[in-house]
Structure formats: C-alpha cells, structure tokens
Amino acid sequence: MIIPLSDGLLRIRQPELEHLHLTHLVSGLDDDSGSPAHACGAGIALSGYTEWVCPAQPRLSLGWDWQLEGTASPPRIRRLGLPRTNVLLLDRDRAALPWNESLQVLANFIDGLNWNTPAFRAVCERYAA
C-alpha cells in the first residue's frame, strides 16, 4: 500500500518494492560542454541519467545517474550515486526510514533490476539522428 502525504513523498513498505513494476520514462546523456576538449585517441567518459515510473502509481518516480564502463567487456553501464525519487521507504512497523537509508535501499533495489539495456538502448535511439 502506497501512502501519499502532503509533503509529496510516497511512502512504501520495503517488502512492497518487490511488487513494483517500473517502466522506462526517459534516459539521456549528460551535457559535457563544460569539460575540456579531449585529445585524439584519449578515452572519454560517457555518462547520463535515466528515470523510471510505475504505471500503477503514476506519481512514483525513480531516477538515477549512470556511467559507461568502457573497461568491461562487453561495455556496460552502471548506476552512479544514490537515486532521486519521491519515495520514502517504511520499515515493518510502518515507521519512515531515515532519508539516506531509504535511498540506499532503493539503490540496492535498482541494482537488482534489468535497467541497463533498456536505458542504454533509449539513449542510442534518442541521439542517433
């Protein structure tokens, strides 16, 4: 059961995370226009963002940053940092977890999802033109 309150946060009990079905909303590349020019042949860091929503709870939003790991074979993307969200997790007694603890649990949840391929495919399609 998701509990919305006037502060804009959706409160979800930790076990209910397993039942959330997230759908890809948008992914994009970070703007690197402020970074120094790269020399020919130098490595480049590719990073971006992705946001996912829950169709059953349209107000639920979960987004995070990612970075391409060029040293992996094949290359893959991985989550960077903690997510940005409007979700606050509740413990078994329905007490709110501290904000950073809630974000860490959500980060672990994200790491268990198959988000990498859909997010990277969306980025490739978006910037193909």
Side-chain angles (χ1 to χ4, degrees):
M1 179 170 147
I2 296 179
I3 307 165
L5 293 179
S6 61
D7 62 6
L9 295 175
L10 301 176
R11 285 152 174 82
I12 303 173
R13 290 182 32 217
Q14 283 181 278
E16 293 173 8
L17 281 177
E18 297 174 22
H19 304 291
L20 289 181
H21 175 73
L22 296 176
T23 301
H24 180 259
L25 178 65
V26 66
S27 290
L29 294 174
D30 290 334
D31 180 14
D32 64 351
S33 60
S35 64
H38 295 282
C40 183
I44 184 168
L46 186 63
S47 61
Y49 58 89
T50 188
E51 184 169 0
W52 295 66
V53 294
C54 181
Q57 295 294 330
R59 298 169 302 211
L60 187 148
S61 173
L62 193 55
W64 57 93
D65 295 324
W66 56 262
Q67 183 174 34
L68 179 68
E69 288 186 326
T71 59
S73 181
R76 63 184 177 99
I77 61 174
R78 67 175 179 90
R79 178 186 52 79
L80 289 177
L82 295 174
R84 293 173 302 281
T85 187
N86 62 345
V87 173
L88 179 62
L89 295 176
L90 305 176
D91 65 17
R92 296 181 197 273
D93 298 325
R94 295 187 185 263
L97 295 178
W99 183 247
N100 283 337
E101 185 178 336
S102 179
L103 291 178
Q104 188 58 59
V105 172
L106 289 170
N108 294 339
F109 169 71
I110 290 165
D111 292 343
L113 298 175
N114 180 23
W115 65 270
N116 313 65
T117 301
F120 196 68
R121 187 173 296 138
V123 166
C124 291
E125 290 172 7
R126 181 175 178 181
Y127 295 96

